[in-house]
Amino acid sequence: IPDTLRRIAHLDNIVGLKDSSGNINWLSQILKNQSPNFRLFQGEESQILSALRLGVVGAVPSIGNIVPDLCAKVYTSYLSGNTEAAERNQQAIIAIHDLYLKFGNVPRILKEYLLHKGVITTSVSHQPFEGSLGSVCKTIDAKIRSLDRLDA
């Protein structure tokens, strides 16, 4: 663990850290610095449940902009002890996250999808993605609908 992180974890005006590294081993090391005044949050979509099991206090994944209900269900199911539901919702998040990676990368696909849904008004990104904007968004919409049917 970098000394810098160890030092900032004990500063009064630093309340926490969002880890989006995707390195669960590193996360487990920085969790040792968690205290009542310094909390850790997971940012990597595919590791929300794993990180909760390690002791993070919550998650702030970009996919929460698209499917906030699934993110909330992982969290509330885990807290209530319903590990089956937590795992099912984590797997649903991973299925959508995999589409980010299939078509390009997280920031680009997220921005394009939010533009498609009218959540944002512009999507300036120079990062490439595979396919047309319409086909990418339709694929994500179809995946979300299929997951909604499984949850019903």
Side-chain angles (χ1 to χ4, degrees):
I1 263 297
D3 285 335
T4 303
L5 180 58
R6 193 172 289 111
R7 285 195 307 270
I8 67 166
H10 294 83
L11 295 174
D12 291 337
N13 60 337
I14 305 293
V15 297
L17 172 76
K18 172 187 171 184
D19 174 44
S20 295
S21 70
N23 184 336
I24 204 80
N25 293 323
W26 190 77
L27 178 66
S28 67
Q29 290 299 310
I30 62 174
L31 275 164
K32 294 175 183 174
N33 291 294
Q34 186 163 268
S35 71
N37 297 325
F38 185 79
R39 302 300 185 107
L40 293 170
F41 296 85
Q42 177 59 280
E44 171 56 45
E45 287 87 351
S46 64
Q47 297 177 349
I48 298 169
L49 184 55
S50 297
L52 288 169
R53 288 175 173 150
L54 285 174
V56 300
V57 296
V60 188
S62 65
I63 207 162
N65 291 289
I66 294 176
V67 285
D69 54 328
L70 284 177
C71 297
K73 286 177 184 178
V74 172
Y75 181 77
T76 57
S77 297
Y78 174 76
L79 289 183
S80 70
N82 188 344
T83 55
E84 185 179 306
E87 186 64 44
R88 184 175 60 253
N89 287 293
Q90 176 65 75
Q91 291 306 313
I93 289 169
I94 290 170
I96 297 167
H97 182 259
D98 287 349
L99 294 175
Y100 281 169
L101 305 178
K102 176 182 177 183
F103 292 116
N105 56 66
V106 173
R108 177 65 191 258
I109 301 304
L110 173 66
K111 287 179 182 180
E112 295 296 345
Y113 188 77
L114 293 176
L115 178 66
H116 164 73
K117 288 298 195 183
V119 175
I120 60 175
T121 58
T122 184
S123 172
V124 178
S125 178
H126 302 289
Q127 299 169 324
F129 69 95
E130 297 294 322
S132 70
L133 172 58
S135 68
V136 169
C137 293
K138 284 179 184 177
T139 302
I140 293 172
D141 284 337
K143 177 57 77 175
I144 292 169
R145 281 192 307 275
S146 74
L147 295 169
D148 285 343
R149 284 192 298 274
L150 289 176
D151 196 35

